[in-house]
Amino acid sequence: FVLQAIIDDFEEVSFEYNIYEAGTFTITINYNIPNALLFQRGLFIQMGNNPYDFGEILKIQDAIGEDGKGSQIRTITGYDARYILKRRVIKNMNSNGLWVMTAKGELCLRNLIKDQCGSGAEAKRQLPITNTIPASADAKGKVYSVSENFTNLYEVCKTIATQSEIGWRMSFNGALTLEVFEGADLSQTVRFDTSYESLANGEFSDSSESFSNAIYVGGKGDNEERDIYEGENGTPSGLDRFESFDNQSSMTTEEEYEAEALSMLTQYGQTIQMSGNGLAKCPYIYKEQYDVGDLITVAFSGKSAVVQILSVTEHWTWGNYNIQFSFGKPQNNLAEQLQLMLRQIQKASEKATSTDSVRWYTIPTDSEMPKADVTYNTIGFIGEVPGDICPFGWRLPTIYGDSTTPGY
């Protein structure tokens, strides 16, 4: 990384800090100021000397208004440095099989990055990231089970961090350094509250749509001889107990069952989300008295919760500064939920055939996929399906035109 220019004239700037995924930034400047054209896609920016305000430019948009040359505006957008992992997919160097690991989240994250773009990767795949792997006893996060092949490295790292509940980021002091952290519990000392003049407004949601606090893992054996491992979050009972079954017939040991149960309990967790606009001038100073990842108390409209700071977005214009928060653990969108389903399918099934570029999986009949609203025992991914064959083994309903149209 070689310094190109220092630019101190801008219209508007915002930078988001997120505990689990790369935050976005936006810079708006006048097209005609000195050095404005030095911004180019693929270069990196740093806000001041803050080692965490470092990101890659992904898009540049130039626009001109009715006032002609004087209204030419250049808008630069991108993501923080973690997004460089988007350049890599996960592959197993020694075989065509899956990259597999079950361990604390930090160990999964760091070892995966090491193997895919660090010292364990081919020279042409390596990225300039310093990555120190701790001893198992010192690693952070909940136990998580990784099973991936040719999926995007950044997306999997984001999932590992979210599900094992660890913060991760990259700092820049001439070189990039991967850091893993856990926030401090400040719930007794930091309270964002509309009554305390620290919170301007807020929104609260509490979701248990995919919640389970008791997981039964089915392991080796059949019928009454089958291993059934029970994993619980606390000791739930009665109406407070929500059960799910996880079919893992290929697993054989107590350690595998325990790790799988822990992994599934994090995926099926209840989600409390809060968002709000904080008052920049309030009793608490960002990055001094609280930071992304910390546990704090948020209260408004008669509701109060101890929540983790998920993201903070700072926003500057000339003479004005404001700050926006989101709290809690993010809810999976549809694409992320489908990815979790696919991982469960890959772990719970055996690959039957691969024909016509379609990879078929046969799923045990007692499997239950996350948030699955359909029943199936065979599923195919990727490729063309000829004739009247549907990947799910059914003929398609006439709503699609006719019963011979391929569908997915």
Side-chain angles (χ1 to χ4, degrees), residues 59-77:
K59 181 180 179 180
I60 295 178
Q61 181 176 347
D62 294 320
I64 186 168
E66 295 179 355
D67 296 333
K69 184 176 180 180
S71 62
Q72 285 179 293
I73 295 297
R74 169 161 277 208
T75 303
I76 300 101
T77 56

Side-chain angles (χ1 to χ4, degrees), residues 184-192 196 284 289-290 294-298 304-307:
D185 187 348
L186 306 176
S187 57
Q188 300 301 311
T189 58
V190 176
R191 181 183 179 93
F192 281 88
Y196 286 17
Y284 313 114
Q289 291 166 292
Y290 69 96
D294 291 341
L295 292 173
I296 63 171
T297 298
V298 176
S304 175
V306 175
V307 291

Side-chain angles (χ1 to χ4, degrees), residues 19 29 66 80 107 122-123 135 151 163 192 196 205 210 251 253 272 292 294 310 312 346 383:
I19 184 173
I29 63 172
E66 295 179 355
D80 75 47
L107 292 177
E122 300 166 272
T151 44
Q163 299 299 332
F192 281 88
Y196 286 17
S205 67
S210 58
M251 293 184 177
T253 67
I272 294 177
V292 172
D294 291 341
L310 174 65
V312 175
Q346 290 174 326

Side-chain angles (χ1 to χ4, degrees), residues 9 66-67 74 88 96 103 111 120 201 211 221 261 351 382:
D9 187 6
E66 295 179 355
D67 296 333
R74 169 161 277 208
R88 299 289 179 269
N96 291 323
N111 277 286
N201 54 63
F211 177 65
K351 186 174 70 173
I382 306 172

